[in-house]
Amino acid sequence: MPGAGLRSCWGGRVLPLLLAYICYLLLGAAVFQLLEKQAEAQSRDQFQLEKLRFLENYTCLDQQALERFVQVILEAWVKGVNPKGNSTNPSNWDFGSSFFFAGTVVTTIGYGNLAPSTEAGQIFCVFYALMGIPLNVVFLNHLGTGLRAHLATLERWEDQPRRSQFLQVLGLALFLTLGTLVILVFPPMLFSHVEGWTFGEGFYFTFITLSTIGFGDYVVGTDPTKHYVAVYRSLAAVWILLGLAWLTLVLSLGPLFLHRCSRFWRLARGLDLKERAVPNLEEPTRPQKIPISS
């Protein structure tokens, strides 16, 4: 009966997976609370202390005036205006920054540090995302499908000489290594140098970006004290698209590479065993004794 099959599927697969999923979320919540709650309390206390010191130094201000000023700063930050520096800070909506924002929309990264504030911009963002997100998904899926179709021609690689098999595995390893360096290693080094981050912070930004999590705590090209190249954020947007495409390739190439290495290793050991099992033709074979039936 369909009801019995549904109950069997729920009890046999869905329920354990759901329990594991909830336990994983509970574990993450406990660890994040343990690591971050104390630091948050220290930051809150430090902020309140700085406000009290500010009022003590500037007696012409009262608590309400200071709170209104803080509210203005928060509203400016929400609208993408960095309160540091002055009005000569670079615009968040020049072409390079707008191109970067468009890339974060279609890739669903959504850092959260910048968003359209006009009603027309918000409406356009909705329809732009409705068209752009499926387009981005289709592009990445077709890229992976094209790669798998190309690799399907290499399925009969066992028929090739062992040297060709080894070169194929070596080529895949080299391709994966170079791609990892270009997408996941060199960009954090560049971002760390330009933004003044540590390598760990740069690598954290790289992973959070390419995984489309996009917290927004680290975003390139937002420090008003630095003078960036005009195309810096546009190049960062191109890197994001290439990085997402690279991850699609890795998802297809990674299992294939491991499978090829395993098959090559087993094939090499099997050939060695076969070579040992081949009899030496130079040695004379001893005639077998034929029993004489009585």
Side-chain angles (χ1 to χ4, degrees):
M1 297 176 62
L6 181 61
R7 287 193 297 270
S8 176
C9 179
W10 175 263
R13 297 180 181 179
V14 179
L15 185 59
L17 184 60
L18 177 62
L19 293 176
Y21 183 71
I22 294 176
C23 290
Y24 191 75
L25 293 179
L26 293 175
L27 174 64
V31 172
F32 284 127
Q33 181 183 20
L34 179 64
L35 296 177
E36 300 296 333
K37 188 174 182 179
Q38 184 177 1
E40 180 200 28
Q42 293 177 354
S43 298
R44 183 184 296 110
D45 295 340
Q46 182 66 26
F47 178 67
Q48 296 298 330
L49 181 60
E50 290 297 330
K51 287 201 301 184
L52 292 177
R53 289 177 179 175
F54 187 83
L55 290 175
E56 291 176 356
N57 294 331
Y58 300 92
T59 56
C60 59
L61 291 176
D62 57 7
Q63 183 71 26
Q64 293 182 354
L66 179 59
E67 293 298 334
R68 286 195 298 269
F69 181 67
V70 171
Q71 183 64 29
V72 171
I73 294 177
L74 290 177
E75 291 177 358
W77 180 262
V78 169
K79 293 181 179 180
V81 178
N82 197 320
K84 295 173 60 178
N86 50 40
S87 60
T88 61
N89 293 340
S91 172
N92 288 319
W93 294 106
D94 55 14
F95 183 79
S97 298
S98 300
F99 182 79
F100 181 79
F101 174 76
T104 62
V105 170
V106 299
T107 56
T108 68
I109 294 175
Y111 286 114
N113 68 313
L114 184 63
S117 59
T118 63
E119 184 178 357
Q122 293 171 353
I123 294 175
F124 174 76
C125 184
V126 170
F127 289 98
Y128 184 77
L130 285 176
M131 297 294 295
I133 293 174
L135 178 62
N136 180 71
V137 172
V138 169
F139 166 71
L140 295 179
N141 287 340
H142 273 272
L143 185 62
T145 303
L147 177 66
R148 287 190 293 269
H150 172 70
L151 296 177
T153 60
L154 304 177
E155 288 298 327
R156 293 179 296 178
W157 76 305
E158 292 85 355
D159 299 334
Q160 303 175 3
R162 199 193 311 186
R163 178 182 178 85
S164 299
Q165 299 172 9
F166 176 75
L167 291 177
Q168 185 183 93
V169 173
L170 184 62
L172 285 175
L174 182 62
F175 180 75
L176 292 173
T177 302
L178 291 178
T180 302
L181 291 175
V182 172
I183 299 299
L184 296 178
V185 178
F186 291 155
M189 297 174 62
L190 177 62
F191 294 143
S192 301
H193 175 72
V194 175
E195 302 290 342
W197 301 337
T198 64
F199 179 79
E201 291 172 333
F203 186 79
Y204 167 80
F205 164 77
T206 300
F207 176 79
I208 293 299
T209 296
L210 296 184
S211 61
T212 69
I213 297 174
F215 289 124
D217 49 351
Y218 290 89
V219 183
V220 296
T222 57
D223 192 345
T225 62
K226 297 183 180 298
H227 298 283
Y228 299 102
V229 181
V231 296
Y232 176 63
R233 301 194 81 183
S234 298
L235 293 177
V238 173
W239 164 76
I240 291 174
L241 295 177
L242 293 178
L244 293 176
W246 164 250
L247 290 180
T248 303
L249 297 180
V250 169
L251 293 177
S252 299
L253 279 178
L256 178 68
F257 173 69
L258 296 177
H259 176 70
R260 288 288 186 262
C261 289
S262 177
R263 291 290 298 272
F264 181 77
W265 174 252
R266 292 199 302 266
L267 183 61
R269 294 184 62 183
L271 288 177
D272 291 338
L273 293 175
K274 290 181 180 180
E275 290 175 359
R276 294 177 183 177
V278 173
N280 190 353
L281 300 178
E282 295 179 358
E283 294 182 0
T285 57
R286 297 180 179 179
Q288 297 180 355
K289 294 182 179 180
I290 302 177
I292 301 176
S293 58
S294 52

mmCIF file of all heavy atoms in Angstrom, residues 103-144:
data_model
loop_
_atom_site.group_PDB
_atom_site.id
_atom_site.type_symbol
_atom_site.label_atom_id
_atom_site.label_comp_id
_atom_site.label_asym_id
_atom_site.label_seq_id
_atom_site.Cartn_x
_atom_site.Cartn_y
_atom_site.Cartn_z
ATOM 1 N N GLY A 103 26.660 40.773 -9.551
ATOM 2 C CA GLY A 103 27.189 39.420 -9.428
ATOM 3 C C GLY A 103 26.785 38.757 -8.126
ATOM 4 O O GLY A 103 26.490 37.560 -8.087
ATOM 5 N N THR A 104 26.764 39.520 -7.027
ATOM 6 C CA THR A 104 26.344 38.939 -5.747
ATOM 7 C C THR A 104 24.859 38.616 -5.722
ATOM 8 O O THR A 104 24.424 37.753 -4.950
ATOM 9 C CB THR A 104 26.678 39.898 -4.596
ATOM 10 O OG1 THR A 104 25.956 41.126 -4.760
ATOM 11 C CG2 THR A 104 28.165 40.192 -4.548
ATOM 12 N N VAL A 105 24.078 39.290 -6.563
ATOM 13 C CA VAL A 105 22.637 39.005 -6.615
ATOM 14 C C VAL A 105 22.379 37.695 -7.349
ATOM 15 O O VAL A 105 21.694 36.798 -6.837
ATOM 16 C CB VAL A 105 21.877 40.164 -7.294
ATOM 17 C CG1 VAL A 105 20.424 39.769 -7.564
ATOM 18 C CG2 VAL A 105 21.912 41.404 -6.413
ATOM 19 N N VAL A 106 22.925 37.549 -8.549
ATOM 20 C CA VAL A 106 22.621 36.359 -9.356
ATOM 21 C C VAL A 106 23.270 35.114 -8.779
ATOM 22 O O VAL A 106 22.793 34.001 -9.016
ATOM 23 C CB VAL A 106 23.062 36.565 -10.826
ATOM 24 C CG1 VAL A 106 22.314 37.729 -11.441
ATOM 25 C CG2 VAL A 106 24.567 36.779 -10.935
ATOM 26 N N THR A 107 24.355 35.260 -8.027
ATOM 27 C CA THR A 107 25.003 34.103 -7.411
ATOM 28 C C THR A 107 24.459 33.820 -6.020
ATOM 29 O O THR A 107 24.924 32.891 -5.359
ATOM 30 C CB THR A 107 26.517 34.320 -7.316
ATOM 31 O OG1 THR A 107 26.785 35.540 -6.608
ATOM 32 C CG2 THR A 107 27.146 34.406 -8.689
ATOM 33 N N THR A 108 23.481 34.608 -5.564
ATOM 34 C CA THR A 108 22.820 34.458 -4.258
ATOM 35 C C THR A 108 23.788 34.599 -3.099
ATOM 36 O O THR A 108 23.543 34.057 -2.012
ATOM 37 C CB THR A 108 22.065 33.110 -4.140
ATOM 38 O OG1 THR A 108 23.002 32.035 -4.116
ATOM 39 C CG2 THR A 108 21.095 32.923 -5.283
ATOM 40 N N ILE A 109 24.906 35.302 -3.283
ATOM 41 C CA ILE A 109 25.832 35.525 -2.172
ATOM 42 C C ILE A 109 25.225 36.522 -1.193
ATOM 43 O O ILE A 109 25.119 36.255 -0.002
ATOM 44 C CB ILE A 109 27.194 36.015 -2.692
ATOM 45 C CG1 ILE A 109 27.869 34.916 -3.509
ATOM 46 C CG2 ILE A 109 28.093 36.434 -1.539
ATOM 47 C CD1 ILE A 109 29.159 35.340 -4.162
ATOM 48 N N GLY A 110 24.843 37.706 -1.692
ATOM 49 C CA GLY A 110 24.151 38.677 -0.855
ATOM 50 C C GLY A 110 24.895 39.032 0.411
ATOM 51 O O GLY A 110 24.496 38.636 1.504
ATOM 52 N N TYR A 111 25.981 39.790 0.296
ATOM 53 C CA TYR A 111 26.783 40.119 1.468
ATOM 54 C C TYR A 111 25.972 40.840 2.538
ATOM 55 O O TYR A 111 26.197 40.655 3.725
ATOM 56 C CB TYR A 111 27.968 41.003 1.059
ATOM 57 C CG TYR A 111 29.051 40.256 0.338
ATOM 58 C CD1 TYR A 111 29.335 40.515 -0.986
ATOM 59 C CD2 TYR A 111 29.793 39.283 0.988
ATOM 60 C CE1 TYR A 111 30.334 39.841 -1.659
ATOM 61 C CE2 TYR A 111 30.785 38.590 0.332
ATOM 62 C CZ TYR A 111 31.059 38.879 -0.990
ATOM 63 O OH TYR A 111 32.041 38.198 -1.645
ATOM 64 N N GLY A 112 25.046 41.684 2.152
ATOM 65 C CA GLY A 112 24.237 42.390 3.129
ATOM 66 C C GLY A 112 24.766 43.755 3.503
ATOM 67 O O GLY A 112 24.106 44.503 4.227
ATOM 68 N N ASN A 113 25.963 44.102 3.034
ATOM 69 C CA ASN A 113 26.520 45.427 3.332
ATOM 70 C C ASN A 113 26.011 46.493 2.373
ATOM 71 O O ASN A 113 26.189 47.682 2.617
ATOM 72 C CB ASN A 113 28.040 45.379 3.258
ATOM 73 C CG ASN A 113 28.536 45.166 1.834
ATOM 74 O OD1 ASN A 113 28.039 44.292 1.123
ATOM 75 N ND2 ASN A 113 29.499 45.959 1.403
ATOM 76 N N LEU A 114 25.370 46.083 1.291
ATOM 77 C CA LEU A 114 24.888 47.022 0.294
ATOM 78 C C LEU A 114 23.589 46.491 -0.291
ATOM 79 O O LEU A 114 23.475 45.299 -0.601
ATOM 80 C CB LEU A 114 25.931 47.204 -0.817
ATOM 81 C CG LEU A 114 25.607 48.237 -1.903
ATOM 82 C CD1 LEU A 114 25.518 49.624 -1.293
ATOM 83 C CD2 LEU A 114 26.657 48.201 -2.995
ATOM 84 N N ALA A 115 22.613 47.376 -0.431
ATOM 85 C CA ALA A 115 21.313 46.999 -0.982
ATOM 86 C C ALA A 115 20.683 48.243 -1.579
ATOM 87 O O ALA A 115 20.961 49.369 -1.149
ATOM 88 C CB ALA A 115 20.410 46.403 0.101
ATOM 89 N N PRO A 116 19.820 48.071 -2.571
ATOM 90 C CA PRO A 116 19.147 49.238 -3.154
ATOM 91 C C PRO A 116 18.224 49.892 -2.136
ATOM 92 O O PRO A 116 17.478 49.207 -1.424
ATOM 93 C CB PRO A 116 18.383 48.655 -4.342
ATOM 94 C CG PRO A 116 18.232 47.206 -4.025
ATOM 95 C CD PRO A 116 19.442 46.816 -3.256
ATOM 96 N N SER A 117 18.261 51.223 -2.074
ATOM 97 C CA SER A 117 17.449 51.965 -1.105
ATOM 98 C C SER A 117 16.237 52.622 -1.737
ATOM 99 O O SER A 117 15.284 52.963 -1.037
ATOM 100 C CB SER A 117 18.300 53.036 -0.411
ATOM 101 O OG SER A 117 18.850 53.938 -1.371
ATOM 102 N N THR A 118 16.239 52.794 -3.062
ATOM 103 C CA THR A 118 15.089 53.397 -3.730
ATOM 104 C C THR A 118 14.055 52.326 -4.047
ATOM 105 O O THR A 118 14.386 51.142 -4.224
ATOM 106 C CB THR A 118 15.515 54.098 -5.027
ATOM 107 O OG1 THR A 118 16.049 53.124 -5.943
ATOM 108 C CG2 THR A 118 16.581 55.147 -4.743
ATOM 109 N N GLU A 119 12.801 52.725 -4.120
ATOM 110 C CA GLU A 119 11.741 51.768 -4.430
ATOM 111 C C GLU A 119 11.911 51.180 -5.821
ATOM 112 O O GLU A 119 11.709 49.974 -6.029
ATOM 113 C CB GLU A 119 10.379 52.446 -4.301
ATOM 114 C CG GLU A 119 9.202 51.501 -4.500
ATOM 115 C CD GLU A 119 7.867 52.182 -4.309
ATOM 116 O OE1 GLU A 119 7.870 53.384 -3.960
ATOM 117 O OE2 GLU A 119 6.827 51.522 -4.506
ATOM 118 N N ALA A 120 12.321 52.018 -6.767
ATOM 119 C CA ALA A 120 12.539 51.520 -8.132
ATOM 120 C C ALA A 120 13.685 50.512 -8.158
ATOM 121 O O ALA A 120 13.614 49.479 -8.840
ATOM 122 C CB ALA A 120 12.826 52.682 -9.075
ATOM 123 N N GLY A 121 14.751 50.800 -7.411
ATOM 124 C CA GLY A 121 15.880 49.878 -7.364
ATOM 125 C C GLY A 121 15.520 48.562 -6.712
ATOM 126 O O GLY A 121 15.971 47.491 -7.145
ATOM 127 N N GLN A 122 14.689 48.592 -5.673
ATOM 128 C CA GLN A 122 14.271 47.360 -5.012
ATOM 129 C C GLN A 122 13.390 46.504 -5.926
ATOM 130 O O GLN A 122 13.552 45.280 -5.987
ATOM 131 C CB GLN A 122 13.533 47.708 -3.720
ATOM 132 C CG GLN A 122 14.420 48.340 -2.664
ATOM 133 C CD GLN A 122 13.643 48.879 -1.491
ATOM 134 O OE1 GLN A 122 12.405 48.904 -1.514
ATOM 135 N NE2 GLN A 122 14.355 49.329 -0.462
ATOM 136 N N ILE A 123 12.467 47.156 -6.642
ATOM 137 C CA ILE A 123 11.594 46.405 -7.562
ATOM 138 C C ILE A 123 12.424 45.793 -8.693
ATOM 139 O O ILE A 123 12.240 44.619 -9.056
ATOM 140 C CB ILE A 123 10.491 47.320 -8.108
ATOM 141 C CG1 ILE A 123 9.553 47.755 -6.980
ATOM 142 C CG2 ILE A 123 9.711 46.616 -9.214
ATOM 143 C CD1 ILE A 123 8.501 48.750 -7.407
ATOM 144 N N PHE A 124 13.352 46.584 -9.247
ATOM 145 C CA PHE A 124 14.201 46.046 -10.310
ATOM 146 C C PHE A 124 15.051 44.897 -9.796
ATOM 147 O O PHE A 124 15.272 43.904 -10.512
ATOM 148 C CB PHE A 124 15.098 47.145 -10.874
ATOM 149 C CG PHE A 124 16.095 46.653 -11.879
ATOM 150 C CD1 PHE A 124 15.702 46.334 -13.170
ATOM 151 C CD2 PHE A 124 17.427 46.477 -11.526
ATOM 152 C CE1 PHE A 124 16.614 45.862 -14.092
ATOM 153 C CE2 PHE A 124 18.347 46.009 -12.440
ATOM 154 C CZ PHE A 124 17.941 45.700 -13.733
ATOM 155 N N CYS A 125 15.531 44.993 -8.548
ATOM 156 C CA CYS A 125 16.367 43.929 -7.980
ATOM 157 C C CYS A 125 15.583 42.629 -7.884
ATOM 158 O O CYS A 125 16.128 41.546 -8.130
ATOM 159 C CB CYS A 125 16.869 44.352 -6.602
ATOM 160 S SG CYS A 125 18.007 43.179 -5.837
ATOM 161 N N VAL A 126 14.299 42.726 -7.542
ATOM 162 C CA VAL A 126 13.473 41.516 -7.436
ATOM 163 C C VAL A 126 13.380 40.809 -8.790
ATOM 164 O O VAL A 126 13.644 39.605 -8.903
ATOM 165 C CB VAL A 126 12.072 41.872 -6.905
ATOM 166 C CG1 VAL A 126 11.131 40.675 -7.026
ATOM 167 C CG2 VAL A 126 12.154 42.332 -5.460
ATOM 168 N N PHE A 127 13.008 41.556 -9.828
ATOM 169 C CA PHE A 127 12.855 40.937 -11.142
ATOM 170 C C PHE A 127 14.205 40.540 -11.743
ATOM 171 O O PHE A 127 14.299 39.542 -12.465
ATOM 172 C CB PHE A 127 12.105 41.889 -12.074
ATOM 173 C CG PHE A 127 10.655 42.037 -11.735
ATOM 174 C CD1 PHE A 127 10.205 43.107 -10.991
ATOM 175 C CD2 PHE A 127 9.743 41.073 -12.137
ATOM 176 C CE1 PHE A 127 8.863 43.240 -10.673
ATOM 177 C CE2 PHE A 127 8.396 41.191 -11.826
ATOM 178 C CZ PHE A 127 7.954 42.277 -11.081
ATOM 179 N N TYR A 128 15.231 41.314 -11.434
ATOM 180 C CA TYR A 128 16.572 40.966 -11.913
ATOM 181 C C TYR A 128 17.039 39.646 -11.301
ATOM 182 O O TYR A 128 17.629 38.804 -11.982
ATOM 183 C CB TYR A 128 17.544 42.088 -11.552
ATOM 184 C CG TYR A 128 18.945 41.882 -12.067
ATOM 185 C CD1 TYR A 128 19.250 42.115 -13.402
ATOM 186 C CD2 TYR A 128 19.960 41.467 -11.215
ATOM 187 C CE1 TYR A 128 20.540 41.934 -13.877
ATOM 188 C CE2 TYR A 128 21.239 41.278 -11.683
ATOM 189 C CZ TYR A 128 21.530 41.510 -13.009
ATOM 190 O OH TYR A 128 22.810 41.323 -13.468
ATOM 191 N N ALA A 129 16.753 39.454 -10.014
ATOM 192 C CA ALA A 129 17.119 38.198 -9.353
ATOM 193 C C ALA A 129 16.277 37.043 -9.876
ATOM 194 O O ALA A 129 16.772 35.919 -10.033
ATOM 195 C CB ALA A 129 16.956 38.340 -7.844
ATOM 196 N N LEU A 130 14.986 37.291 -10.164
ATOM 197 C CA LEU A 130 14.125 36.229 -10.677
ATOM 198 C C LEU A 130 14.634 35.685 -12.006
ATOM 199 O O LEU A 130 14.496 34.480 -12.286
ATOM 200 C CB LEU A 130 12.693 36.756 -10.837
ATOM 201 C CG LEU A 130 11.877 36.934 -9.558
ATOM 202 C CD1 LEU A 130 10.531 37.562 -9.863
ATOM 203 C CD2 LEU A 130 11.692 35.599 -8.839
ATOM 204 N N MET A 131 15.200 36.546 -12.820
ATOM 205 C CA MET A 131 15.749 36.110 -14.100
ATOM 206 C C MET A 131 17.206 35.677 -13.979
ATOM 207 O O MET A 131 17.643 34.739 -14.637
ATOM 208 C CB MET A 131 15.632 37.240 -15.126
ATOM 209 C CG MET A 131 14.199 37.644 -15.436
ATOM 210 S SD MET A 131 13.286 36.331 -16.280
ATOM 211 C CE MET A 131 14.200 36.258 -17.820
ATOM 212 N N GLY A 132 17.971 36.365 -13.136
ATOM 213 C CA GLY A 132 19.408 36.122 -13.079
ATOM 214 C C GLY A 132 19.792 34.866 -12.337
ATOM 215 O O GLY A 132 20.731 34.169 -12.731
ATOM 216 N N ILE A 133 19.089 34.539 -11.247
ATOM 217 C CA ILE A 133 19.442 33.343 -10.474
ATOM 218 C C ILE A 133 19.240 32.072 -11.301
ATOM 219 O O ILE A 133 20.143 31.217 -11.355
ATOM 220 C CB ILE A 133 18.642 33.309 -9.161
ATOM 221 C CG1 ILE A 133 19.079 34.459 -8.250
ATOM 222 C CG2 ILE A 133 18.824 31.972 -8.448
ATOM 223 C CD1 ILE A 133 18.254 34.589 -6.987
ATOM 224 N N PRO A 134 18.087 31.876 -11.970
ATOM 225 C CA PRO A 134 17.982 30.692 -12.843
ATOM 226 C C PRO A 134 19.016 30.687 -13.961
ATOM 227 O O PRO A 134 19.531 29.622 -14.324
ATOM 228 C CB PRO A 134 16.560 30.788 -13.399
ATOM 229 C CG PRO A 134 15.820 31.618 -12.420
ATOM 230 C CD PRO A 134 16.808 32.607 -11.908
ATOM 231 N N LEU A 135 19.328 31.869 -14.523
ATOM 232 C CA LEU A 135 20.342 31.932 -15.571
ATOM 233 C C LEU A 135 21.696 31.483 -15.047
ATOM 234 O O LEU A 135 22.430 30.737 -15.720
ATOM 235 C CB LEU A 135 20.436 33.361 -16.120
ATOM 236 C CG LEU A 135 21.484 33.613 -17.209
ATOM 237 C CD1 LEU A 135 21.180 32.771 -18.444
ATOM 238 C CD2 LEU A 135 21.537 35.086 -17.565
ATOM 239 N N ASN A 136 22.035 31.891 -13.840
ATOM 240 C CA ASN A 136 23.299 31.480 -13.239
ATOM 241 C C ASN A 136 23.323 29.975 -12.984
ATOM 242 O O ASN A 136 24.329 29.304 -13.242
ATOM 243 C CB ASN A 136 23.506 32.245 -11.929
ATOM 244 C CG ASN A 136 24.807 31.884 -11.236
ATOM 245 O OD1 ASN A 136 25.886 32.226 -11.692
ATOM 246 N ND2 ASN A 136 24.691 31.200 -10.115
ATOM 247 N N VAL A 137 22.198 29.429 -12.502
ATOM 248 C CA VAL A 137 22.120 27.985 -12.247
ATOM 249 C C VAL A 137 22.240 27.204 -13.547
ATOM 250 O O VAL A 137 22.954 26.187 -13.626
ATOM 251 C CB VAL A 137 20.813 27.653 -11.509
ATOM 252 C CG1 VAL A 137 20.630 26.143 -11.405
ATOM 253 C CG2 VAL A 137 20.808 28.275 -10.125
ATOM 254 N N VAL A 138 21.544 27.671 -14.597
ATOM 255 C CA VAL A 138 21.610 26.988 -15.888
ATOM 256 C C VAL A 138 23.026 27.034 -16.448
ATOM 257 O O VAL A 138 23.531 26.033 -16.987
ATOM 258 C CB VAL A 138 20.609 27.639 -16.874
ATOM 259 C CG1 VAL A 138 20.842 27.134 -18.296
ATOM 260 C CG2 VAL A 138 19.183 27.326 -16.448
ATOM 261 N N PHE A 139 23.696 28.173 -16.318
ATOM 262 C CA PHE A 139 25.063 28.290 -16.815
ATOM 263 C C PHE A 139 25.993 27.304 -16.113
ATOM 264 O O PHE A 139 26.768 26.585 -16.759
ATOM 265 C CB PHE A 139 25.565 29.719 -16.602
ATOM 266 C CG PHE A 139 27.044 29.877 -16.768
ATOM 267 C CD1 PHE A 139 27.643 29.782 -18.012
ATOM 268 C CD2 PHE A 139 27.853 30.107 -15.665
ATOM 269 C CE1 PHE A 139 29.009 29.924 -18.164
ATOM 270 C CE2 PHE A 139 29.223 30.245 -15.803
ATOM 271 C CZ PHE A 139 29.802 30.156 -17.053
ATOM 272 N N LEU A 140 25.909 27.234 -14.785
ATOM 273 C CA LEU A 140 26.781 26.320 -14.048
ATOM 274 C C LEU A 140 26.436 24.868 -14.338
ATOM 275 O O LEU A 140 27.330 24.020 -14.465
ATOM 276 C CB LEU A 140 26.674 26.607 -12.547
ATOM 277 C CG LEU A 140 27.187 27.979 -12.087
ATOM 278 C CD1 LEU A 140 27.000 28.142 -10.582
ATOM 279 C CD2 LEU A 140 28.654 28.170 -12.453
ATOM 280 N N ASN A 141 25.136 24.557 -14.460
ATOM 281 C CA ASN A 141 24.753 23.180 -14.772
ATOM 282 C C ASN A 141 25.216 22.762 -16.163
ATOM 283 O O ASN A 141 25.689 21.633 -16.357
ATOM 284 C CB ASN A 141 23.237 23.031 -14.660
ATOM 285 C CG ASN A 141 22.754 23.047 -13.236
ATOM 286 O OD1 ASN A 141 23.527 22.795 -12.310
ATOM 287 N ND2 ASN A 141 21.487 23.351 -13.031
ATOM 288 N N HIS A 142 25.079 23.662 -17.150
ATOM 289 C CA HIS A 142 25.538 23.339 -18.491
ATOM 290 C C HIS A 142 27.053 23.186 -18.532
ATOM 291 O O HIS A 142 27.584 22.362 -19.294
ATOM 292 C CB HIS A 142 25.092 24.432 -19.469
ATOM 293 C CG HIS A 142 23.723 24.202 -20.019
ATOM 294 N ND1 HIS A 142 23.479 23.454 -21.143
ATOM 295 C CD2 HIS A 142 22.506 24.611 -19.586
ATOM 296 C CE1 HIS A 142 22.182 23.414 -21.389
ATOM 297 N NE2 HIS A 142 21.567 24.117 -20.450
ATOM 298 N N LEU A 143 27.739 23.965 -17.718
ATOM 299 C CA LEU A 143 29.188 23.823 -17.659
ATOM 300 C C LEU A 143 29.578 22.455 -17.131
ATOM 301 O O LEU A 143 30.444 21.772 -17.684
ATOM 302 C CB LEU A 143 29.776 24.928 -16.776
ATOM 303 C CG LEU A 143 31.295 24.994 -16.695
ATOM 304 C CD1 LEU A 143 31.902 25.275 -18.065
ATOM 305 C CD2 LEU A 143 31.719 26.068 -15.701
ATOM 306 N N GLY A 144 28.904 22.017 -16.056
ATOM 307 C CA GLY A 144 29.184 20.688 -15.524
ATOM 308 C C GLY A 144 28.762 19.589 -16.475
ATOM 309 O O GLY A 144 29.464 18.583 -16.628
#
